């Protein structure tokens, strides 16, 4: 046996090496490695967050409104921006209104704005408060809803809803409306 081994040693080693390499190649081709993919929560990836940012709308090159928020979260799928600690301005031919609110939302698709919390609107000779304010972009109308109180020059008016298309120079007050005018 030793004589055969010495005579065919190199051939036996080459054949054994080929068998080992062939077996390893077959194993690599025939078996599929199991890849573990960790599932990610893709809903979190749809939210973009900003600190100290501004959103605005312009029409025919003129600024309509501008809102600044301490914190903004934008959902890139439904295009809704959630605003926290909001301040801004609404511009119209009748003047500029200063707006402050605790929080709000901005819909990028229809450009409507909703502000809630302690909402205050200040203008020339005017102070207005409501639980919620809405800007309806398609109608260019501001609507205040809930515990509405407006002081305008020498008049005090309260109600549940107020609407205006011209910076509250003229407005429609409804829902248990009361107006007191001082002389």
């Amino acid at each position: 046996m030793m004589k055969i081994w010495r005579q065919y040693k190199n051939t036996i080693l080459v054949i054994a090496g080929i068998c080992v390499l062939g077996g390893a190649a077959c194993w690599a081709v025939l078996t599929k490695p199991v890849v573990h993919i960790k599932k990610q929560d893709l809903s979190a990836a749809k939210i973009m967050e900003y600190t100290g940012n501004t959103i605005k709308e312009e029409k025919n090159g003129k600024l309509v409104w501008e809102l600044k928020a301490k914190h903004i979260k934008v959902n890139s799928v439904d295009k809704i921006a959630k605003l926290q600690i909001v301040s801004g301005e609404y511009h119209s031919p009748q003047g500029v209104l200063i707006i402050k609110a605790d929080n709000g939302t901005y819909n990028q698709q229809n450009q409507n704005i909703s502000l809630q919390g302690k909402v205050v609107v200040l203008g020339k000779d005017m102070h207005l408060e409501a639980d919620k304010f809405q800007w309806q972009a398609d109608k260019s109308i501001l609507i205040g809803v809930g515990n509405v109180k407006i002081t305008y020059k020498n008049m005090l008016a309260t109600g549940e809803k107020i609407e205006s298309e011209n910076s509250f120079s003229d407005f429609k007050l409804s829902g248990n409306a009361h107006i007191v005018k001082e002389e």
Side-chain angles (χ1 to χ4, degrees), residues 10-131:
N10 289 339
T11 306
I12 293 172
L13 288 175
V14 168
I15 292 173
I18 291 173
C19 288
V20 169
L21 288 175
C26 287
W27 173 80
V29 170
L30 296 176
T31 61
K32 294 180 182 178
V34 177
V35 178
H36 297 284
I37 299 174
K38 186 177 179 182
K39 291 184 179 180
Q40 297 177 349
D41 181 13
L42 296 178
S43 63
K46 298 174 188 170
I47 304 295
M48 297 176 288
E49 295 189 38
Y50 304 95
T51 300
N53 212 333
T54 301
I55 55 176
K56 61 185 173 180
E57 179 183 344
E58 293 182 352
K59 198 176 263 186
N60 299 324
K62 293 185 179 184
L63 185 63
V64 176
W65 55 261
E66 178 178 58
L67 292 177
K68 297 176 183 179
K70 188 172 184 179
H71 191 74
I72 300 175
K73 288 183 180 182
V74 180
N75 184 315
S76 60
V77 174
D78 65 10
K79 306 291 187 205
I80 301 289
K82 293 183 179 180
L83 316 169
Q84 293 178 337
I85 308 174
V86 183
S87 64
E89 296 179 349
Y90 170 73
H91 298 262
S92 77
Q94 291 76 22
V96 176
L97 298 177
I98 306 298
I99 303 166
K100 295 186 182 210
D102 292 336
N103 54 63
T105 57
Y106 170 62
N107 185 322
Q108 292 177 341
Q109 293 173 333
N110 60 21
Q111 290 147 354
N112 289 345
I113 300 169
S114 178
L115 299 174
Q116 20 325 309
K118 182 175 170 66
V119 184
V120 177
V121 179
L122 303 171
K124 185 179 179 189
D125 301 321
M126 186 203 58
H127 180 96
L128 173 60
E129 295 179 18
D131 294 338

